[in-house]
Amino acid sequence: QVQLVESGGGLVQAGGSLRLSCAASGRTFSVYAMGWFRQAPGKTREFVAAISSNGLSTNVANSVKGRFTISRDNGKNTVYLQMNSLKPEDTAVYYCNADSRLITGSGGYWGQGTQVTVSS
């Protein structure tokens, strides 16, 4: 069982930056691949970024490539999403996901989400 708690969301102007954190409980954090997803009002949840259990492999969605970076600190049981050059279309609830296999968005454990609002 893994419990995930996101933090770091908020209101920011376009062009600004935020860093989201996702803290995981349990002593087996390092075996989980981690991912970030987001869901905007009226839209389906979409993939944002993922990182392998050892942190050596990452993947980000084309819509955020070059602006968002995913990283993790297994010693702190935490995964991060650094978001730069934010745009109004990045406004969404951002969710953290942990999966013992691949990050597909269809399973694993989920956090409660953190709201990110980007004003124009």
Side-chain angles (χ1 to χ4, degrees):
Q1 188 80 6
V2 177
Q3 292 185 327
L4 304 173
V5 179
E6 301 98 333
S7 62
L11 174 64
V12 63
Q13 289 187 332
S17 298
L18 284 175
R19 188 176 80 154
L20 305 184
S21 299
C22 173
S25 65
R27 294 176 291 180
T28 59
F29 175 75
S30 61
V31 306
Y32 289 93
M34 301 295 297
W36 287 96
F37 292 77
R38 67 185 182 186
Q39 186 167 18
K43 295 187 177 181
T44 57
R45 186 174 60 196
E46 65 172 354
F47 168 78
V48 177
I51 188 166
S52 61
S53 58
N54 60 12
L56 295 181
S57 178
T58 63
N59 185 32
V60 295
N62 287 334
S63 59
V64 304
K65 193 164 291 184
R67 300 187 297 122
F68 290 13
T69 303
I70 187 171
S71 62
R72 68 188 293 160
D73 185 337
N74 285 347
K76 295 182 178 179
N77 283 11
T78 302
V79 62
Y80 305 97
L81 184 68
Q82 179 66 44
M83 307 186 294
N84 299 328
S85 302
L86 283 161
K87 305 175 181 180
E89 51 263 45
D90 294 319
T91 295
V93 178
Y94 283 70
Y95 297 92
C96 180
N97 174 236
D99 201 308
S100 60
R101 300 178 182 178
L102 297 176
I103 294 296
T104 63
S106 61
Y109 302 95
W110 293 88
Q112 82 291 346
T114 185
Q115 176 70 48
V116 172
T117 303
V118 184
S119 63
S120 57

